[in-house]
Structure formats: C-alpha cells, structure tokens
C-alpha cells in the first residue's frame, strides 16, 4: 500500500479517536466505603440493650468495622467481635444472672469480686485474645492511680474485660501488668473517642442513660455509689458526643441495674432506638455527603440533634 495512503489512514484514525473522546468519559472509580465504628457504653444489665442495636444494624446492612466497649459494652463487644451471632447473644442473655460473674467478698476495696468472670467469659467469647477476633475491638479501663485511660487492643481478653467492668465500690480493682485498673466509665462513659483515634470514619455511639434510684431514694450503698456515678456521667457527655456521628439512647429508665432477668425487654428497647435512627445512620454513611462537606450530625434519641462541627468549636 502506498505510503501516502497509510499516512492518510493514520490521520483519519487519529481524528476519529479525538472526536470520540469528546463524548466518551472515563468511568470514575466508586467512592471508598466509609469505615464504621460502634461505641458501646456501660450500664450493667441495661447493657443488654446493645444486643438489640447490633441486631438492627445487621438487618439493615450497616457495616461494623470496629467496636469499642466500656464495662458491659466491652462484654457485648467481645462477644460480637469473636463471632457470636445475635441469635446466640439473645439466647445467652436470657440465662445470665448477677451471680454468674460476681461473688460477694469481704474486702477494704470492694464488696464483690468479679473473678468468676474469667470462666464466665470463656463460655461467652469464642477466642481468648484480641488478635483472633473477627472484628477489631478496643476495651477501655481507667488507671486507678493516675486516672488516665487504659486502652486494650492486644493480648488476653479476659483481664481487659474484667478491668473494664470493675465498678468502684462494688468490684475490686483488677491488676493488669502491674497497673491497678477500674471501670472504663471514668475515662470513657461511651468510648467514641478511641474509635476516632483509630481512624473510624463514622462512629455510632450507644449511651445508656438512667438513674440508679427511684423517687423513693436509695435502697443500699450500691444505689448511693451508682447514682453518684450516673450524675457524673451525665456531666461528661460533651466530649464523647463530639466524637460521635450518631448517638442512640435506648430508654432504659424503667430497668434496674441488676435486672438481667428482663433481657428480652432490654434487647427490644435497644432495637427500637436503633430502628428509629436507621435513616439518619444511612444518611451519615453516604460518601456523597462527605464529598460535599456536609457536617456530621449526632442525634441523642428524644433530644434535638447536635451539630458536631459546632460542638467541636465550643
């Protein structure tokens, strides 16, 4: 074929490609999925509401990439992260009683020992250490001497959870690696901040706000101690709410801290709170909202929405 014809065909092909390029646009890669952290607060038996929250998140296809737990939130979080199904958690919750993990004792440091929690947790959690969990977990406790937070992300699970559940005055402090530790609620009533520190894009927080006493007053010393901590926790909301994108507050006000026998009702309360918030949760997880620079919104059930961008500015 003559060289002139080859050059002409080459120029024609170049022209066609250039012309087509004006109409054909490259397909943009899908936006990366936002990583979701679930922060579970403390509350003794009331923490069974967490199971209902997880149930709804699973049913609605909301991913849970990280979990952080304080006190009973650490127990529920460890169960979920080790692969215990929601159905199994519901069945186990119906059987749990205070005596299963607590033992009355005589000590200057507390009235109960939670040493029974070691064999108790061995029955509940499907692995012994953080490294074998299916979902990353952060367990929070508080250093009794310094008051600083203690965060557990590796090593044995049992001692970390026992420390996180060592409610002052009720349970003895727990010695872990030479540190005397107590309940994580004093450092993180709801552990949303650790999840942000470890790069969760969105944090769903579950807060179990309820007074320990009725209008008739305290029944015993545990009600006195518990009510004092309940008041203190209510004053500590601003920091963990500011690190939350959605806040769920199941209505556990009608439940006693030790009413484990009401597990089905508590799970249903958590389920209702989560279902109410499903539209908000899904809205927060849209990558388009992030690209547009929309502010994150944290919602405390039954109260006006809190603009996290404003909370951070105050």
């Amino acid at each position: 074929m003559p060289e002139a014809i080859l050059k002409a065909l080459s120029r024609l092909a170049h022209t066609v490609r250039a012309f087509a390029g004006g109409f054909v646009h490259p397909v943009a890669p899908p936006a990366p999925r936002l990583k979701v952290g679930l922060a579970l607060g403390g509350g003794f038996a009331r923490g069974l509401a967490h199971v209902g929250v997880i149930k709804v998140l699973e049913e609605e296809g909301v991913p849970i990439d990280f979990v952080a737990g304080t006190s009973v939130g650490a127990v529920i979080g460890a169960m979920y992260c080790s692969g215990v199904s929601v159905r199994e958690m519901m069945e186990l919750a119906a059987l749990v009683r205070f005596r299963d993990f607590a033992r009355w004792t005589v000590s200057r440091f507390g009235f109960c020992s939670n040493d029974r929690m070691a064999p108790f947790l061995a029955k509940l959690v499907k692995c012994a250490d953080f490294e074998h969990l299916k979902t990353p977990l952060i367990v929070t406790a508080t250093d009794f001497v310094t008051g600083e937070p203690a965060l557990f992300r590796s090593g044995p699970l049992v001692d970390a959870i026992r420390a996180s559940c060592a409610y002052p005055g009720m349970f003895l402090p727990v010695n872990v690696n030479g540190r005397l530790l107590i309940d994580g609620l004093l450092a993180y009533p709801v552990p949303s901040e650790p999840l942000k520190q470890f790069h969760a894009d969105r944090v769903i927080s579950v807060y179990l706000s309820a007074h320990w006493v009725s209008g008739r007053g305290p029944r015993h010393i545990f009600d006195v101690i518990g009510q004092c901590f309940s008041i203190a926790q209510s004053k500590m909301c601003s920091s963990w709410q500011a690190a939350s994108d959605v806040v769920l507050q199941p209505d556990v006000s009608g439940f006693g801290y030790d009413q484990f026998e009401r597990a089905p009702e508590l799970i249903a309360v958590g389920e209702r709170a989560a279902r109410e918030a499903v539209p908000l949760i899904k809205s927060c997880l849209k990558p388009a909202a992030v690209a547009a620079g929309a502010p994150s919104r944290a919602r405390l059930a039954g109260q006006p929405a809190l603009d996290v961008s404003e909370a951070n500015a105050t």
Side-chain angles (χ1 to χ4, degrees):
M1 184 178 291
E3 184 178 350
I5 295 176
L6 287 174
K7 289 182 177 179
L9 289 173
S10 176
R11 287 195 296 270
L12 178 62
H14 178 75
T15 302
V16 169
R17 285 196 297 270
F19 181 76
F23 296 94
V24 179
H25 299 283
V27 177
R33 181 178 67 78
L34 296 176
K35 298 292 185 180
V36 179
L38 179 63
L40 304 176
F44 279 88
R46 295 160 177 161
L48 295 174
H50 293 320
V51 177
V53 171
I54 294 172
K55 178 175 183 286
V56 172
L57 296 180
E58 283 198 345
E59 290 175 352
E60 295 293 334
V62 176
I64 302 174
D65 299 292
F66 315 93
V67 178
T70 290
S71 198
V72 67
V75 178
I76 302 297
M79 292 175 68
Y80 173 79
C81 291
S82 71
V84 179
S85 69
V86 168
R87 180 177 178 179
E88 289 174 298
M89 285 194 279
M90 293 174 71
E91 292 172 352
L92 290 167
L95 302 175
V96 172
R97 296 295 182 269
F98 186 78
R99 63 179 177 273
D100 294 329
F101 57 86
R103 175 177 60 85
W104 295 105
T105 187
V106 178
S107 170
R108 292 176 296 169
F109 307 117
F111 290 96
C112 292
S113 169
N114 63 2
D115 54 1
R116 287 182 180 174
M117 189 169 283
F120 175 70
L121 287 171
K123 297 177 183 178
L124 299 183
V125 182
K126 292 187 175 182
C127 52
D129 51 58
F130 285 83
E131 287 77 8
H132 289 91
L133 294 171
K134 295 183 176 181
T135 302
L137 172 69
I138 302 169
V139 170
T140 70
T142 307
D143 189 304
F144 179 72
V145 176
T146 67
E148 293 297 315
L151 301 180
F152 292 89
R153 294 192 298 147
S154 61
L157 277 165
V158 169
D159 284 345
I161 297 172
R162 285 183 60 223
S164 187
C165 294
Y167 199 85
M170 180 175 287
F171 293 111
L172 279 62
V174 176
N175 191 315
V176 181
N177 299 326
R179 298 177 72 186
L180 203 57
L181 303 176
I182 55 176
D183 202 302
L185 68 87
L186 291 169
Y188 295 111
V190 181
S192 55
E193 294 166 272
L195 288 170
K196 286 292 189 181
Q197 293 168 13
F198 293 107
H199 310 299
D201 298 306
R202 287 287 181 266
V203 173
I204 301 168
S205 295
V206 187
Y207 176 49
L208 304 173
S209 172
H211 290 305
W212 277 53
V213 299
S214 67
R216 295 187 298 273
R219 298 167 297 169
H220 41 60
I221 187 172
F222 298 134
D223 278 354
V224 174
I225 295 171
Q227 182 67 0
C228 290
F229 279 112
S230 177
I231 293 168
Q233 286 182 73
S234 68
K235 308 292 185 183
M236 298 166 64
C237 288
S238 58
S239 60
W240 66 258
Q241 282 187 13
S244 306
D245 297 287
V246 178
V247 177
L248 307 181
Q249 185 176 318
D251 183 7
V252 295
S253 57
F255 298 88
Y257 74 93
D258 54 352
Q259 290 186 311
F260 290 93
E261 71 277 5
R262 298 180 68 183
E265 298 170 77
L266 283 159
I267 292 170
V269 165
E271 190 173 348
R272 283 196 295 273
R275 289 204 187 284
E276 281 184 23
V278 165
L280 178 65
I281 292 170
K282 292 191 173 181
S283 175
C284 283
L285 298 184
K286 292 179 181 177
V290 178
S296 302
R297 305 288 295 183
R299 179 178 181 272
L300 190 60
Q303 297 188 20
L306 167 72
D307 190 325
V308 174
S309 59
E310 294 177 3
N312 284 327
T314 58

